[in-house]
Amino acid sequence: MTEKLFSSEIRVMELLWKNGEMTAKDIAFALAENVGWSKTTTYTVIKKCVEKGAVIRTDPGFVCKAAVSKNEVQESEAFELIDRLFDGSADLLVSALIGSGKVSSEQLKNLREMVKTMGEE
């Protein structure tokens, strides 16, 4: 999958990542309750996800399952963000996050550990 997923498509994907296979009807019911979407809106978003290769649809029953993992989408989105807003520089992204003051001391500790572990490899 090379196409970017929009926030509406991520909502569908989150349900599939959490629940595995679901019928389009069940997805529509869940999103109607959680977001207020109509059945038509949900089916349109599912169709877009299928076209992008993010969802596999099987019949009978219009059963959907994720074709890409959450991790794959997160990595793709992170790299796209870094390229688009930080000129491809991950350290500028990390600097912006730390400089914002929105990173907790526990998160900073985890980041230090990750960097330390990666440096040992």
Side-chain angles (χ1 to χ4, degrees), residues 54-69:
V55 169
I56 297 169
R57 173 191 170 173
T58 57
D59 287 310
F62 200 157
V63 178
C64 302
K65 71 177 182 177
V68 293
S69 71

Side-chain angles (χ1 to χ4, degrees), residues 35-119:
V35 187
W37 287 3
S38 71
K39 182 179 175 182
T40 303
T41 297
T42 301
Y43 279 45
T44 299
V45 174
I46 292 170
K47 181 180 179 219
K48 293 288 185 187
C49 290
V50 169
E51 289 171 356
K52 290 181 177 184
V55 169
I56 297 169
R57 173 191 170 173
T58 57
D59 287 310
F62 200 157
V63 178
C64 302
K65 71 177 182 177
V68 293
S69 71
K70 185 172 185 174
N71 188 53
E72 288 174 291
V73 172
Q74 288 173 328
E75 285 181 6
S76 176
E77 291 289 324
F79 287 124
E80 194 271 332
L81 175 73
I82 291 167
D83 285 342
R84 187 168 41 91
L85 296 178
F86 297 95
D87 296 324
S89 175
D91 56 335
L92 288 177
L93 168 66
V94 173
S95 177
L97 289 171
I98 293 170
S100 73
K102 294 183 179 183
V103 178
S104 71
S105 58
E106 183 67 25
Q107 290 169 325
L108 281 173
K109 179 183 166 192
N110 291 341
L111 284 169
R112 282 189 195 100
E113 273 304 308
M114 287 170 31
V115 170
K116 181 180 174 186
T117 302
M118 290 175 156

